[in-house]
Amino acid sequence: MVGVELDMVVPDSIKALELYERIFDIEREEVTDFSRGENEVIFTLYGVRFHLLDENPQFHLIAPKPEDSKTSWVNVTVPNIKDTYKQAMEAGCTEIQVVTEIPEMGLSNAIFTDPFGYVWMLHEVHREISKEEMMEFWEKHRKQ
């Protein structure tokens, strides 16, 4: 078997799973029922496998803290960005960037952080653009 999964340490993987289920259409694969600090969850989101692990310093599993630098994020292309973003806000996530339409790029995007310290960037593609169109857009906006 081969593949890739994203591993994320959270204070409580069961609570994180419940949050992500409120926001996204995910498929549960495995969910343990141990004491907090020992649980793990595996789910897929649009074919990508996520593995959540409870924070457990004994095993060097440390969840992000609010003051930590956010050097990576999860980028998800969704069928309806406004609905997904609304669900995230209603589920207790924090807005970083409201839904923003970028017509020249044929998409909308938005960014939020979840209560567990992870950043999520949402995209909705309205139309496909060529590499040339993309390069023109960046050249135009780079000089401003």
Side-chain angles (χ1 to χ4, degrees):
M1 183 167 119
V2 297
V4 175
E5 76 177 16
L6 298 174
D7 293 349
M8 300 163 63
V9 178
V10 294
D12 184 327
S13 59
I14 305 301
K15 288 194 182 309
L17 172 65
E18 292 168 356
L19 173 83
Y20 300 147
E21 286 179 324
R22 290 179 61 194
I23 300 169
F24 301 107
D25 182 23
I26 65 174
E27 296 178 33
R28 289 183 180 209
E29 289 190 18
E30 296 176 29
V31 180
T32 61
D33 188 23
F34 301 123
S35 300
R36 185 171 172 192
E38 299 176 348
N39 281 310
E40 58 185 308
V41 167
I42 298 173
F43 67 86
T44 57
L45 171 60
Y46 301 126
V48 175
R49 186 176 160 111
F50 287 78
H51 187 170
L52 305 179
L53 299 128
D54 279 1
E55 182 170 50
N56 188 326
Q58 179 181 349
F59 294 107
H60 305 282
L61 298 173
I62 310 298
K65 306 294 182 253
E67 64 276 6
D68 290 346
S69 175
K70 308 300 187 230
T71 60
S72 65
W73 60 89
V74 181
N75 195 342
V76 184
T77 302
V78 297
N80 186 314
I81 194 169
K82 289 179 182 175
D83 287 349
T84 304
Y85 190 75
K86 181 179 179 211
Q87 290 165 189
M89 294 302 102
E90 289 173 352
C93 295
T94 303
E95 177 180 286
I96 294 175
Q97 176 192 308
V98 68
V99 174
T100 304
E101 293 187 27
I102 309 171
E104 303 94 339
M105 294 293 287
L107 60 82
S108 297
N109 64 22
I111 308 170
F112 65 87
T113 184
D114 69 32
F116 308 104
Y118 288 96
V119 175
W120 297 79
M121 180 177 226
L122 304 176
H123 290 286
E124 179 181 346
V125 176
H126 305 293
R127 69 176 177 84
E128 295 286 329
I129 65 165
S130 68
K131 183 176 180 181
E132 291 77 22
E133 288 175 292
M134 182 177 60
M135 296 307 291
E136 285 177 27
F137 173 83
W138 286 116
E139 282 296 321
K140 177 181 171 185
H141 288 84
R142 228 175 54 163
K143 296 175 183 177
Q144 292 182 356

